[in-house]
Amino acid sequence: MSITDTTHRVSKPESVVSKPGATSADKARNGKILEKLEDDVMAVNQLRGNIKRTLSSCSLEDELAKANEGDEKEKDWYEESEQYKDIDPKSFRQYELACDRVKQFYEEQHEKQTVAYNIQARINFKTKTRARMSIWEGLERLNKLLDDSDPDTELSQIEHALQTAEAIRKDKKPRWFQLVGLIHDLGKLLYFFDSKGQWDVVGDTFPVGCKFSKKIIFPESFKTNPDFLNPLYNTKYGIYSKYCGLDKVMLSWGHDEYMYHIAKGSSTLPPEALAMIRYHSFYPWHQEYAYSYLMNEHDKEMLKAVKTFNTYDLYSKSDQHYNVEELKPYYLELIDEFFPDKIIDF
């Protein structure tokens, strides 16, 4: 809450003065408003006191210099990585050459990711706890999964997580950014809980409830989806409205959505980190710019963050192996920094 916002709210006391003939309910309501105003006034006074103490310890010029320096540091994490400047993007996500396992996966995913299923999946998420464990225990458990949708790697999940996190760390990105690299795929734990297979856990994500974009991988396979011919869902906007914002859009259920909700409720990660987790598999959006007509201004800012993260998620996949036990102490400390409760409800 800013001083300006608070001052604005306390500048109209006449709106709460009891008028002749006011009922007891009106008076009670006015009393609550006056209590709120007193709290706001106290907050303003506390802010003023903090400002005075700050300015007495250093000059205004020093404060502005520090603020500008902080802004520059924040902008640094958007900078392009030198590690991958010579990499050929065409050597990744080669779905035309993908094995039958990958193609069969997407045929099943595109057929079964319906509006009805997505509504039920969200009800299930909100009404049950699947397991209680630490983030690191989740990573170790996830290590048993091989992602059928990924044409680029056969590595275990914890190896991919460490490759991504270490690449981000090498570029000296913020600590929260490094943690995103470590946990961005942790939602794949869904596979061991109440998933129907891999089709509702992994793979590229896309909106349901509106027309399926041709920029989604293997778009022809959507013809077997029951929503494909449904007049409520097969128009450009479907159940949404122009520029409604992606937070209003139901993306296909999977590890991105699942881990996004876990992190949102259990961590202190910033909005950019949450966007990276939620949208990192939304390739039609962050690589092909599909569904731009559903974006709002906030989404435009988050898109820059997601694209920055995607570089590390995609291009860090290699044959390099890390010693998990050597890296574990560093990442345990990182986890504790942003997940205050060591045991998380999954």
Side-chain angles (χ1 to χ4, degrees), residues 70-263:
D71 288 342
E72 289 303 316
K73 289 180 179 178
E74 282 299 307
K75 292 176 183 176
D76 287 346
W77 65 267
Y78 279 117
E79 292 181 359
E80 186 176 354
S81 173
E82 289 293 317
Q83 298 181 63
Y84 308 115
K85 64 179 181 180
D86 297 324
I87 206 159
D88 180 12
K90 295 181 180 180
S91 62
F92 292 84
R93 290 177 58 82
Q94 292 292 318
Y95 285 101
E96 295 80 6
L97 304 177
C99 63
D100 290 340
R101 165 178 62 85
V102 175
K103 294 177 181 178
Q104 290 168 1
F105 162 83
Y106 276 106
E107 288 176 357
E108 184 177 21
Q109 185 207 42
H110 292 177
E111 176 185 356
K112 296 180 177 180
Q113 284 280 358
T114 62
V115 170
Y117 174 75
N118 273 270
I119 292 174
Q120 187 60 54
R122 285 160 174 80
I123 292 173
N124 292 343
F125 169 77
K126 292 181 179 180
T127 56
K128 64 186 292 188
T129 297
R130 295 156 180 79
R132 300 189 75 245
M133 57 185 155
S134 70
I135 294 293
W136 191 266
E137 287 172 334
L139 287 168
E140 291 180 328
R141 184 168 183 177
L142 186 64
N143 212 30
K144 301 174 183 179
L145 173 67
L146 174 63
D147 187 339
D148 283 343
S149 70
D150 194 338
D152 295 324
T153 184
E154 298 289 332
L155 291 176
S156 67
Q157 293 299 305
I158 200 168
E159 286 180 304
H160 171 56
L162 287 173
Q163 283 182 346
T164 308
E166 283 294 288
I168 296 168
R169 182 183 177 190
K170 183 178 180 180
D171 277 347
K172 300 181 180 179
K173 302 297 184 182
R175 287 170 64 81
W176 62 261
F177 197 161
Q178 297 172 34
L179 182 59
V180 170
L182 185 72
I183 68 170
H184 70 283
D185 278 343
L186 187 55
K188 292 178 182 180
L189 283 169
L190 269 176
Y191 180 72
F192 303 108
F193 300 144
D194 55 358
S195 73
K196 305 297 183 181
Q198 288 207 18
W199 63 267
D200 61 347
V201 178
V202 299
D204 288 7
T205 58
F206 47 85
V208 297
C210 62
K211 187 176 182 178
F212 299 115
S213 172
K214 292 182 179 180
K215 293 183 179 180
I216 303 172
I217 197 68
F218 301 131
E220 64 280 357
S221 58
F222 281 108
K223 292 180 180 179
T224 59
N225 187 302
D227 294 346
F228 186 79
L229 296 177
N230 190 320
L232 290 175
Y233 308 138
N234 66 2
T235 61
K236 180 177 180 179
Y237 296 106
I239 60 176
Y240 311 112
S241 59
K242 189 175 183 179
Y243 306 140
C244 62
L246 294 180
D247 60 325
K248 305 290 194 306
V249 174
M250 189 159 49
L251 295 179
S252 54
W253 182 254
H255 72 282
D256 303 51
E257 284 287 289
Y258 176 54
M259 191 59 206
Y260 161 73
H261 287 291
I262 296 292

Side-chain angles (χ1 to χ4, degrees), residues 136 140 162 323-333:
W136 191 266
E140 291 180 328
L162 287 173
N323 187 314
V324 176
E325 291 305 313
E326 286 183 3
L327 293 175
K328 184 176 179 179
Y330 176 81
Y331 285 106
L332 285 178
E333 181 181 343

